[in-house]
Amino acid sequence: MTATTLSDVEFGVRSIANTVTANEKYFGELDSVVGDGDFGFSLGRGFEAVLEGWDDYSRDDIGSFLQGVALTISRRIGGTSGPIWGTAFLRAAVVAKGLTELGVDETVAMLRAAIEGIKARGKAEVGDKTLLDALVPMTDAVEAATSGPLLSLAATTARSAAEAASALQARRGRASYSGERSIGVPDAGAIAVAVIVERLTEDWRQHSEAASTAEGGSER
């Protein structure tokens, strides 16, 4: 895996923002089954704000850029999602502070920091039926991999883990009030992680193919 640059991180965050806004209704419908139904709307407004403020974020290094994104998310996403998603981005930003490139080790460290931030802010653990039930297995798989397309592995693992989490009983958030009725119902946060990483994988594939084509054309 080649080093991930600031422009790569920018590409990834834009992909996340576009995916969230495009799936606002879907995420809201998932959340409305046993939750309060505002997850998609809240996340959508927050990432719309990220795109609106795109040119204002610092590009001094990867951490500074992500810190700007984190602050926007924290301020503009309502409910419990703002603090949780904002904390995840902010913890990742701390790890990336001063870095202009990321290797696999740094990327995993950022994901681990985001996970710990989510656990602390949401008072949640794996098995409580939250986005952690997709994010943690995905991170474990990426860290354990020694070769191969890591984004594809992340997407496959996140999807299978998110679907498996449907069998759990919710123990955090509004869905936890439903008790056993939450068993068999997909968790909106876990599914959102899977959808985001799947879209990012496809966006990155198309981006890489376009870059390769452009380079080939310039050589002729």
Side-chain angles (χ1 to χ4, degrees):
M1 178 180 177
T2 58
T4 300
T5 65
L6 173 59
S7 64
D8 294 333
V9 173
E10 290 184 66
F11 181 90
V13 173
R14 185 178 286 276
S15 172
I16 292 170
N18 288 334
T19 301
V20 166
T21 55
N23 286 276
E24 176 183 328
K25 181 179 179 182
Y26 173 51
F27 293 160
E29 289 172 347
L30 287 173
D31 188 45
S32 67
V33 180
V34 291
D36 51 20
D38 69 346
F39 175 68
F41 178 83
S42 297
L43 218 59
R45 297 295 74 72
F47 279 97
E48 276 184 356
V50 168
L51 294 174
E52 288 166 2
W54 193 255
D55 294 334
D56 298 329
Y57 301 130
S58 169
R59 265 69 175 184
D60 289 344
D61 55 68
I62 293 171
S64 297
F65 172 72
L66 290 177
Q67 181 177 9
V69 172
L71 293 176
T72 297
I73 290 172
S74 297
R75 291 168 182 161
R76 298 296 294 273
I77 297 181
T80 58
S81 295
I84 288 172
W85 287 69
T87 296
F89 272 84
L90 189 58
R91 292 291 186 91
V94 171
V95 174
K97 189 68 175 175
L99 301 179
T100 55
E101 290 187 344
L102 303 170
V104 176
D105 289 345
E106 291 82 9
T107 301
V108 169
M110 289 168 64
L111 288 169
R112 293 290 182 204
I115 287 166
E116 291 308 311
I118 293 168
K119 287 181 177 180
R121 200 63 191 254
K123 303 294 188 291
E125 295 290 340
V126 174
D128 287 340
K129 198 169 187 174
T130 69
L131 75 165
L132 290 172
D133 290 295
L135 189 58
V136 172
M138 180 194 83
T139 303
D140 290 344
V142 171
E143 185 173 29
T146 56
S147 62
L150 295 185
L151 260 180
S152 295
L153 173 64
T156 301
T157 306
R159 170 58 65 178
S160 114
E163 291 179 352
S166 298
L168 300 172
Q169 179 174 327
R171 302 190 184 280
R172 288 291 179 269
R174 185 63 63 88
S176 65
Y177 301 160
S178 301
E180 292 183 356
R181 287 201 303 113
S182 64
I183 297 174
V185 176
D187 177 71
I191 294 294
V193 170
V195 171
I196 286 168
V197 181
E198 286 169 345
R199 185 67 252 176
L200 176 58
T201 301
E202 179 59 21
D203 286 347
W204 186 256
R205 183 188 65 77
Q206 294 178 7
H207 174 70
S208 298
E209 288 178 354
S212 296
T213 301
E215 288 176 4
S218 65
E219 291 173 357
R220 288 193 292 273

